[in-house]
Amino acid sequence: MVFSASHSVFIICRDAAGIAGNIFAFGLFLSPIHTYRRIIRNRSTEEFSGLPYIYALLNCLICVWYGSPLVSSDNILIMTVNSAGAVFQLVYIALFIIYAEKSKKVRMLGLLLAVFGLCAIIVFGSLQMTDLVMRRLIVGLLSCVSLISMFASPLFIINLVIRTKSVEFMPFYLSLSTFLMSTSFFLYGIFNYDLFIYVPNGIGTILGIVQLALYFYYKDSSKEDSREPLIVPYP
């Protein structure tokens, strides 16, 4: 009876953390809107790069597959948040292609097809594994590596903040959203006993703390309005 009650509490805590992570993730999904308002207004992608959105889409699609019932039956909230993230990235990529010059259009379309092709290979290959434990292990490792590399992307921004002593390129609410989302999914992974979730999000939590600490340390040095960075992590 005690074990059953304890297990129920863990499930409630897990689901609460996952739902919170889904909510906080929207702060990250919406972060490029400032950039795209400028692109649409100027009808040009200027010097902005579309690569971060391509990579974010690949990350989301891999994590969607890991969270699907065909790979892991207890990670539905991972599938939902990354499904939403994939939709946002597709919209951003579509807008980028619309307003990019011809050479960039061709490149982005090629990269988009490459992402879909790679994901199809991952899905088809993993489905050939009849051992469900091995399937979850392989796809989990891929999603973990993808998430860690995505969470490592703010290191460039952190280095820029320290070098310039300015938080111009590291908006507070984006850093806060990163920290809250990473912490939520770190707890979700802990409660779900899933190291493929709590390890990368634990790293994301640490990086989020570093970003917030730097923000409060250097915020008085920033005189200009913040701009949204182009690289955004997803769970």
Side-chain angles (χ1 to χ4, degrees):
M1 182 65 71
V2 174
F3 174 78
S4 178
S6 176
H7 182 66
S8 297
V9 170
F10 260 65
I11 291 177
I12 293 172
C13 291
R14 180 198 68 184
D15 292 345
I19 292 171
N22 274 253
I23 294 171
F24 294 136
F26 275 88
L28 297 176
F29 297 157
L30 297 174
S31 63
I33 284 182
H34 174 79
T35 296
Y36 275 89
R37 283 178 178 171
R38 174 174 171 175
I39 289 175
I40 294 171
R41 182 175 64 248
N42 297 335
R43 303 187 66 81
S44 170
T45 57
E46 302 176 28
E47 298 301 316
F48 291 115
S49 171
L51 290 179
Y53 307 105
I54 289 288
Y55 190 71
L57 175 63
L58 175 62
N59 176 73
C60 286
L61 291 176
I62 292 175
C63 290
V64 165
W65 181 234
Y66 177 67
S68 71
L70 291 174
V71 177
S72 53
S73 59
D74 51 356
N75 274 321
I76 191 67
L77 290 172
I78 296 298
M79 187 175 72
T80 57
V81 68
N82 283 284
S83 295
V87 171
F88 273 91
Q89 301 314 310
L90 282 171
V91 171
Y92 293 142
I93 291 170
L95 288 173
F96 192 94
I97 291 173
I98 290 172
Y99 291 104
E101 58 188 43
K102 186 175 180 179
S103 59
K104 286 185 177 180
K105 288 180 189 289
V106 174
R107 185 185 182 193
M108 286 292 288
L109 283 170
L111 290 172
L112 185 60
L113 291 175
V115 166
F116 287 137
L118 180 58
C119 289
I121 291 172
I122 293 174
V123 170
F124 179 78
S126 59
L127 286 176
Q128 304 312 302
M129 302 176 187
T130 56
D131 187 339
L132 296 181
V133 174
M134 182 58 66
R135 181 189 298 173
R136 179 166 182 162
L137 175 63
I138 297 300
V139 179
L141 284 172
L142 289 173
S143 67
C144 189
V145 170
S146 179
L147 279 169
I148 290 175
S149 61
M150 183 66 73
F151 278 127
S153 62
L155 290 174
F156 169 78
I157 302 298
I158 290 173
N159 178 62
L160 185 63
V161 170
I162 295 174
R163 185 158 47 84
T164 62
K165 302 185 186 306
S166 169
V167 294
E168 176 187 357
F169 296 98
M170 192 178 70
F172 171 73
Y173 289 110
L174 184 59
S175 298
L176 180 62
S177 295
T178 299
F179 168 70
L180 292 175
M181 185 202 68
S182 299
T183 301
S184 296
F185 280 107
F186 170 69
L187 294 174
Y188 175 89
I190 291 291
F191 289 126
N192 209 28
Y193 308 105
D194 193 330
L195 82 164
F196 297 128
I197 302 299
Y198 69 70
V199 168
N201 282 285
I203 294 173
T205 299
I206 294 172
L207 289 174
I209 292 172
V210 172
Q211 289 182 68
L212 289 173
L214 287 174
Y215 180 87
F216 286 109
Y217 187 79
Y218 288 115
K219 68 175 181 176
D220 294 332
S221 301
S222 300
K223 302 299 182 182
E224 299 179 6
D225 292 335
S226 297
R227 301 179 195 173
E228 303 290 355
L230 291 179
I231 301 178
V232 182
Y234 298 96

